[in-house]
Amino acid sequence: MVLFSGATQSVCGSASSATGPFYCPADRTVYIDLSFFEEMKSQLNAGGDFAYAYVIAHEVGHHVQHLLGTLGKVQQQQQQMSEKDRNQMNVRLELQADFYAGIWAYYDNKNFNSIEDGDIEEGLNAATQIGDDRLQMQSQGYVVPDAFNHGTSAQRTRWLKKGLESGNLSQGDTFSVDYSQL
């Protein structure tokens, strides 16, 4: 894991604070832009320790996808897809990473009794605030579903909550579900 503020270099290319947190499969590293947490708090109204932990766990979820081979398979499939289909496949990846973040929280709480009052609400609020529909509406005043690449607020909260409540990895298959049912 690389913590940065402002800008950094990765094998996947350079990143600035505009990039936010990301996972680079080429070097198997999670890059966390610390200034993103301030942006979450001040601009997205999504602050709090659990909200920040959710973002980190989501990025680590991409590493889990890499280890399981999911990331590579999806990236290979995306090479033969239209932009709309690539975006939809990316939404599936992102929602699964949200689910994995929920799984992490489930087991962290089970093992360490770590979830405090208000934590779940912080995480669900963060998922809501960073949904593609909300971000697009905020930035451009309208929503373009075909351009989504992370999922709607409702989808993101649903999959995070599913992981939080189930603790069952087998329930995180976002690829077999009809896209309209995600």
Side-chain angles (χ1 to χ4, degrees), residues 1 7 15 70 88 123 141-142 148 160 180:
M1 182 178 294
T70 308
Q88 287 184 356
Y142 58 93
F148 290 171
L160 174 61
S180 66

Side-chain angles (χ1 to χ4, degrees), residues 114-144:
S114 58
I115 295 180
E116 300 170 344
D117 288 343
D119 280 350
I120 303 299
E121 292 78 10
E122 280 180 13
L124 295 174
N125 177 56
T128 297
Q129 300 303 326
I130 59 177
D132 285 330
D133 53 341
R134 184 174 188 319
L135 293 174
Q136 284 185 2
M137 184 59 80
Q138 190 176 36
S139 69
Q140 61 195 26
Y142 58 93
V143 175
V144 182

Side-chain angles (χ1 to χ4, degrees), residues 22 30 34 53 78 163:
F22 66 97
V30 171
L34 297 175
Q78 285 177 314

Side-chain angles (χ1 to χ4, degrees), residues 26-159:
D27 63 6
R28 299 179 178 189
T29 302
V30 171
Y31 291 83
I32 302 293
D33 175 11
L34 297 175
S35 64
F36 182 75
F37 298 128
E38 182 55 38
E39 181 182 328
M40 281 180 65
K41 180 180 175 184
S42 64
Q43 295 177 23
L44 300 175
N45 195 29
D49 58 347
F50 190 83
Y52 307 148
Y54 152 60
V55 169
I56 295 168
H58 170 94
E59 296 306 331
V60 172
H62 289 308
H63 182 62
V64 171
Q65 291 171 324
H66 175 76
L67 293 173
L68 295 174
T70 308
L71 200 55
K73 287 178 190 171
V74 167
Q75 289 172 336
Q76 187 176 19
Q77 291 172 355
Q78 285 177 314
Q79 293 175 6
Q80 308 301 319
M81 294 179 169
S82 68
E83 182 178 358
K84 176 185 173 184
D85 290 340
R86 278 193 310 271
N87 287 345
Q88 287 184 356
M89 190 64 83
N90 206 61
V91 166
R92 292 176 184 279
L93 274 173
E94 296 297 332
L95 296 177
Q96 187 176 63
D98 284 337
F99 174 80
Y100 288 161
I103 292 285
W104 160 78
Y106 174 91
Y107 282 102
D108 193 71
N109 188 56
K110 182 177 178 181
N111 292 323
F112 305 109
N113 199 28
S114 58
I115 295 180
E116 300 170 344
D117 288 343
D119 280 350
I120 303 299
E121 292 78 10
E122 280 180 13
L124 295 174
N125 177 56
T128 297
Q129 300 303 326
I130 59 177
D132 285 330
D133 53 341
R134 184 174 188 319
L135 293 174
Q136 284 185 2
M137 184 59 80
Q138 190 176 36
S139 69
Q140 61 195 26
Y142 58 93
V143 175
V144 182
D146 288 348
F148 290 171
N149 58 28
H150 279 73
T152 66
S153 296
Q155 290 170 324
R156 297 198 75 174
T157 57
R158 182 171 33 255
W159 284 94

Side-chain angles (χ1 to χ4, degrees), residues 5-16:
S5 189
T8 192
Q9 286 289 336
S10 78
V11 174
C12 294
S14 59
S16 69

